[in-house]
Amino acid sequence: MAVEITWWGHATVTVRDSGVRVLTDPLFVSRLAHLRRRRGAVPPPEAAVADVAVVSHLHADHLHPASLARLSPGTRVLVPRGAARAVPGLRRLRELDLVEVVAGDEVRVGPLTIRAVPAAHDGRRLPYGPHRVAALGYVVRGEARTYFAGDTGLFDEMADEVGPCDAALLPVGGWGPFLGTGHLDAGRAAQALAQLAPGAAVPIHYGTYWPVGMDAVRPHEFHSPGTEFVRHAAVLAPEVAVHRLDHGESVRLAAAR
C-alpha cells in the first residue's frame, strides 16, 4: 500500500509512506489547561514512534513540548520559523533535531520530501508575547502526496499552494462550542475538498477535546463534524473517498495516480 493514515485524535496523525513514519502535531495528554479529552484514549506509546514530526503552528493544542519530549532522541521536528524564540519550552528539547521552516521550504526525510505550505490561521503562541509566527500546512510526498492542513481557514490560493494531492487531512471542527476565524467547519472543509480534488480525505481536529464543564453546551459541535463533513463532501466533492476514522483507526490508500 502506498500510504497508511492513523488518526490518534485532534490533529495528531501518523502518515506512513515508503516505510517512513510522519507524525503531525503530537498531543499525548488527557488534559490541557481547560480542555479535557472526552473521546478516545490517550494515544499509546507506539503513536510516538516517528521518523519525523511536523508542527503546524504554535497554539498549545498543536505545539505541545511535553508530547514532543516523548519522541526518540534525534527525531527531526519541523516547526514554523520563529517557534523556538516564541516558545521557551522548545529550547529545552535539545535531544530533538529541530528544523524551522517557512512556506515553500522542502525537507528530505529518506525517500520522502516534506514541503511547508501556507495556512490561513493566527498561529501565535499566546500569552507569551507579540511574536507573530506564520501557521503552516505540510505536503508529504513519497509514493503518495498527503496534505496535512494543520489549522486553517479557506483561502483563494489553497489549491495552487498545496498542488496535486492524493489524500487530504482536513480539520472539520474544533475544541469548543464556537469556531473563530481561520478555521474550517464541516461545510467549509468540504469546499476546500472540492478545490483540492484529492483521491481521498480524512476529517481531523474534532470530537476529541472539549472545555471542562461545558459538555452540555452545543454538544453537536463536538459529536457531529465528522458525519457532517461526510454529508457535505458527498454533495460538493462526490469523487473523493472520505474516510471518517475512529480514534486509533487506520486506513490504507492505494498508490498515487
Side-chain angles (χ1 to χ4, degrees):
M1 295 295 178
V3 62
E4 181 182 75
I5 295 167
T6 304
W7 183 48
W8 302 110
H10 203 52
T12 305
V13 180
T14 294
V15 177
R16 185 166 184 170
D17 188 325
S18 306
V20 178
R21 295 171 64 98
V22 182
L23 180 63
T24 70
D25 289 356
L27 186 59
F28 301 142
V29 292
S30 59
R31 179 79 180 261
L32 177 66
H34 65 298
L35 302 181
R36 169 174 66 91
R37 191 175 181 109
R38 283 192 58 206
R39 190 162 63 187
V42 173
E46 56 262 32
V49 178
D51 299 289
V52 59
V54 298
V55 173
S56 61
H57 62 287
L58 306 192
H59 291 168
D61 57 320
H62 292 259
L63 195 168
H64 188 250
S67 293
L68 289 172
R70 290 179 53 182
L71 302 177
S72 296
T75 302
R76 190 174 303 180
V77 181
L78 310 188
V79 298
R81 181 176 295 172
R85 179 181 61 158
V87 183
L90 272 182
R91 297 194 289 270
R92 293 192 288 270
L93 302 177
R94 297 184 181 89
E95 294 186 339
L96 299 178
D97 179 14
L98 205 67
V99 180
E100 296 197 344
V101 295
V102 297
D105 285 351
E106 293 189 345
V107 177
R108 291 282 297 180
V109 182
L112 302 187
T113 298
I114 302 177
R115 175 168 53 92
V117 298
H121 188 69
D122 184 350
R124 289 176 293 175
R125 185 75 159 196
L126 299 175
Y128 294 113
H131 304 304
R132 187 175 291 275
V133 177
L136 299 172
Y138 295 91
V139 177
V140 178
R141 187 173 74 247
E143 293 184 45
R145 297 157 297 187
T146 303
Y147 169 48
F148 166 62
D151 227 350
T152 187
L154 276 172
F155 56 99
D156 292 340
E157 306 82 10
M158 178 180 279
D160 291 336
E161 293 286 359
V162 172
C165 60
D166 302 291
L169 314 178
L170 296 178
V172 301
W175 50 253
F178 300 99
L179 282 175
T181 59
H183 293 86
L184 296 177
D185 61 11
R188 291 193 294 271
Q191 293 177 46
L193 198 63
Q195 295 179 25
L196 295 167
V202 174
I204 62 172
H205 205 283
Y206 78 99
T208 308
Y209 291 92
W210 204 249
V212 172
M214 297 187 67
D215 292 7
V217 179
R218 295 175 62 87
H220 61 283
E221 298 292 351
F222 179 85
H223 293 285
S224 68
T227 53
E228 286 294 295
F229 175 67
V230 172
R231 182 174 65 83
H232 287 295
V235 175
L236 297 178
E239 71 287 354
V240 181
V242 177
H243 303 274
R244 186 177 66 84
L245 303 179
D246 291 328
H247 293 78
E249 188 177 6
S250 302
V251 61
R252 294 178 175 87
L253 305 178
R257 295 165 293 179

